[in-house]
Amino acid sequence: MGLRVPDPAMSLTRRGLLTLAGAATVAGCGRLSDGPGTGRLLTSKVHPPRFVTPLPIPATARPVRVTADADHYVLTQRVADVNLLPDRKTRIWGYDGTFPGPTLRGRRGRPMVVTIRNELPVPTSTHLHGGVTPPDSDGFPTDLTTPRGYSPAPPVQHGAPGQVHEISRDYHYPMAQRAATLWYHDHRMDFTGPQVWRGLLGLCVITDPREEALPLPRDERDLPLVICDRAFDEDGSLQYPSQDMAMHAPGARGQFVTGVFGDVILVNGVAWPRHEVSGVRYRLRLVNASNARRYRLALRAGGRRLPMIQIGSDDGLLSAPITHTEIIVTPGERYDVVVDFAGLPIGTEATLVNDFGTGGTTEVMRFAVVRQATDDSRVPDRLAAAEPPLTTADAVTERQFDFRYDEGRWTVNRRLYDPAGSLAAPRLDTVELWRFTSDFHHPVHVHLAHFQVLSRAGRSPEPWETGWKDTVDVRPYETVEVLAKFAGHRGKYMLHCHNLEHEDMAMMANFDVV
C-alpha cells in the first residue's frame, strides 16, 4: 500500500503553461478551474460514500516534560496504516503515525521545544507555518533530519547553509506571538509535495489572554478543519506522480508540474466527513493543507448560504468581525470563522461546499443539526486590541518579486532557487512594501514576517484578506502589494510559492533579516 504513480503525462511546455494561465484570466477574475482538462487531476479508483464517516478531531499533543523555561514535546515521524477511507487502510507518513499529526497547543509567552524523531526512510525538515521562530528552527529546506544510517547522504548544493541531524533534532518555538491558527508540515528541499501528500502535516494553535477573555465558542464547539485533496488506488494507497519513487530525484512528472490535484476531499484525515452539531455557534478553523487546490468555501443549508463571520486570518484575530457568504482559501492560508446553527430546525443538514470544484470536489463536508442547546457564546464587536493598520508611509523600501515559469522551471525574479543566495536584506523591526507579480496561480508564503495586504490589481484586496497574514493568493497576471513587518529574529528566511509542486520545482527565494 505504498504511494502509486499514474501513467506519465505529456510534458508541459512553457507555451502550454502560458495558455493555461491565459485561459484562467479569460475565465474571469483570474480563477482557474481545478477540474479535468488541465492535465493535473489524479483520478481515484475508489470513491467512498460522502457524509457517512464522523469528523475526527486531531489528538492534542501532550508534553513529555514541563520545565520552568518551556514545554517539551516529542513527535515521531513514522509509517502507519490508517483509515483515510472508511473501508480500507492507507499507508501514510505521519507525525506520531497520524494524518494530520497531533495538534500542538501553545500559549503566548510560554516557549515550546518540539523534538522531531525521524523513523521514515527519507530525510525531513519541519516548518512551523506562520511561526515567529529563530532561523535554525524555521525548517530551512536543507536543514535535515535523517533516519539512522540513511544513504545516500543528502547533498548540500551550492554551498547551501543547513545542518544534517541523524534520527532527531529539537525545534525551539518562543511563542512570542499573538493567538493564531498555525500549522506545521514537512519542508524538505525538492520533496515537500510528495512528503506532505503522504501525511506530514499537523496543526499548532496558539492562545493568549486577550483571546481567552473573549466569549467565542470553545472546547467541542471550536472545530479545526484541515482540508486537503488526495487520490487513491483500489487498495487504498495514495497516488502521486513522483519523478522518482525513491525520492532521490525531485519534482512531479509531466503536466503535474503545474500542481497535483486529487478528486477525494479529506477533512481532518477522512473523506467527506459528517459532524453532528447543536443549534448553537461554532468556531471553524479553516486550514487549506492541499498541495495545489484552491477552494471557494460556502456553507449551504435549505437552498441558502449561511453567514460566516470571520474573526481571524492567518496570524491572529481581526480587530473586528466581518461577515461573508464565501471565502477563497489557497494552499497554506487559514481563516477562523464563526457559524450559527441556531436558526436551523433539528434534522437540517448544512454542507460546506467548494464553488471552485468539479464533480465530488464541489463538496467538502456536512454538518447535521441533531439537538438544541443553550449558547452563552457571542461574537463581540471588538476582537484584537485596536492598532492602526500599516500604511505605505511605514515602508522603508519597496521590492518586487516576480513568480514565473521560465525555461522549464518555476522561478522567482527569473532565478532558480539557490539555497546559499539571497534576494533581499530587510532590517529587523522595519516595514517594507513587497510587490508580488505572477503568470499563474501562486499562493505566496513569507516565512517569519507577517504582513497586511495593501492592494490587489490596483484595487482593494478581497474582503477576507484583512488582518495579519503570511500567505496571499497571487492570481495570473496580477500584482498584489503587501506591507511586511520583519520582527522577532535576525537570520536567513524564505519566501516561496505554496503550491508545493511549484516549490519543489525551484520557486523559492531567501532573504536575510539583518
Side-chain angles (χ1 to χ4, degrees), residues 252-329:
R253 297 182 296 126
Q255 288 197 2
F256 290 101
V257 299
T258 63
V260 177
F261 293 74
D263 59 358
V264 175
I265 303 297
L266 306 180
V267 183
N268 293 353
V270 300
W272 291 296
R274 179 177 185 269
H275 188 63
E276 295 184 349
V277 297
S278 302
V280 295
R281 296 180 187 86
Y282 282 77
R283 177 177 183 167
L284 309 182
R285 299 177 184 262
L286 305 171
V287 181
N288 185 349
S290 301
N291 280 33
R293 184 178 290 279
R294 303 162 69 245
Y295 300 84
R296 184 162 65 189
L297 298 177
L299 191 61
R300 291 180 180 167
R304 66 185 180 92
R305 294 191 176 197
L306 301 182
M308 296 187 293
I309 304 174
Q310 183 188 357
I311 61 171
S313 193
D314 293 340
D315 297 307
L317 293 173
L318 307 183
S319 58
I322 306 174
T323 300
H324 312 290
T325 57
E326 66 176 29
I327 294 179
I328 295 176
V329 191

Side-chain angles (χ1 to χ4, degrees), residues 389-399 426-434 449-452 468 482-487:
L390 298 178
T391 69
T392 54
D394 296 311
V396 299
T397 193
E398 300 180 9
R399 306 182 196 270
R427 298 194 309 274
L428 186 67
D429 295 325
T430 64
V431 173
E432 295 190 357
L433 191 156
W434 282 14
H450 296 167
F451 56 75
Q452 295 176 4
W468 289 101
V482 305
L483 291 164
K485 187 173 184 178
F486 301 87

Side-chain angles (χ1 to χ4, degrees), residues 416-493:
L416 299 179
Y417 178 58
D418 176 3
S422 180
L423 295 189
R427 298 194 309 274
L428 186 67
D429 295 325
T430 64
V431 173
E432 295 190 357
L433 191 156
W434 282 14
R435 188 173 292 109
F436 303 134
T437 55
S438 73
D439 63 350
F440 202 69
H441 279 295
H442 298 301
V444 176
H445 172 49
V446 181
H447 288 212
L448 180 76
H450 296 167
F451 56 75
Q452 295 176 4
V453 183
L454 180 64
S455 68
R456 176 179 293 281
R459 301 183 296 274
S460 297
E462 299 281 13
W464 49 81
E465 294 180 317
T466 186
W468 289 101
K469 292 180 58 58
D470 53 57
T471 307
V472 66
D473 186 16
V474 184
R475 300 166 188 163
Y477 302 105
E478 187 175 58
T479 298
V480 175
E481 294 182 322
V482 305
L483 291 164
K485 187 173 184 178
F486 301 87
H489 307 277
R490 291 182 171 87
K492 187 176 291 295
Y493 294 92

Side-chain angles (χ1 to χ4, degrees), residues 182-393:
L182 311 183
W183 65 304
Y184 61 93
H185 58 80
D186 184 71
H187 211 267
R188 177 190 172 196
M189 182 166 166
D190 300 333
F191 299 96
T192 298
Q195 296 189 183
V196 171
W197 188 271
R198 275 175 149 148
L200 289 176
L201 61 114
L203 280 177
C204 178
V205 175
I206 305 174
T207 64
D208 63 20
R210 172 80 186 191
E211 183 190 49
E212 291 167 349
L214 295 173
L216 298 170
R218 60 185 70 250
D219 301 326
E220 72 277 0
R221 298 175 185 175
D222 182 346
L223 297 177
L225 301 180
V226 181
I227 304 169
C228 59
D229 57 335
R230 296 293 186 266
F232 297 88
D233 214 325
E234 289 179 353
D235 62 356
S237 58
L238 289 163
Q239 298 183 61
Y240 187 87
S242 289
Q243 289 276 24
D244 173 18
M245 292 311 298
M247 293 205 180
H248 297 150
R253 297 182 296 126
Q255 288 197 2
F256 290 101
V257 299
T258 63
V260 177
F261 293 74
D263 59 358
V264 175
I265 303 297
L266 306 180
V267 183
N268 293 353
V270 300
W272 291 296
R274 179 177 185 269
H275 188 63
E276 295 184 349
V277 297
S278 302
V280 295
R281 296 180 187 86
Y282 282 77
R283 177 177 183 167
L284 309 182
R285 299 177 184 262
L286 305 171
V287 181
N288 185 349
S290 301
N291 280 33
R293 184 178 290 279
R294 303 162 69 245
Y295 300 84
R296 184 162 65 189
L297 298 177
L299 191 61
R300 291 180 180 167
R304 66 185 180 92
R305 294 191 176 197
L306 301 182
M308 296 187 293
I309 304 174
Q310 183 188 357
I311 61 171
S313 193
D314 293 340
D315 297 307
L317 293 173
L318 307 183
S319 58
I322 306 174
T323 300
H324 312 290
T325 57
E326 66 176 29
I327 294 179
I328 295 176
V329 191
T330 60
E333 286 189 300
R334 291 89 63 211
Y335 290 104
D336 283 17
V337 301
V338 172
V339 297
D340 192 354
F341 297 108
L344 303 180
I346 292 177
T348 300
E349 296 195 336
T351 304
L352 186 64
V353 300
N354 169 31
D355 290 338
F356 281 166
T358 58
T361 64
T362 59
E363 296 177 312
V364 176
M365 67 169 292
R366 182 163 289 173
F367 298 93
V369 181
V370 298
R371 68 187 75 86
Q372 297 299 335
T374 59
D375 188 2
D376 58 359
S377 72
R378 62 184 178 87
V379 180
D381 294 334
R382 178 59 57 184
L383 297 167
E387 58 179 315
L390 298 178
T391 69
T392 54

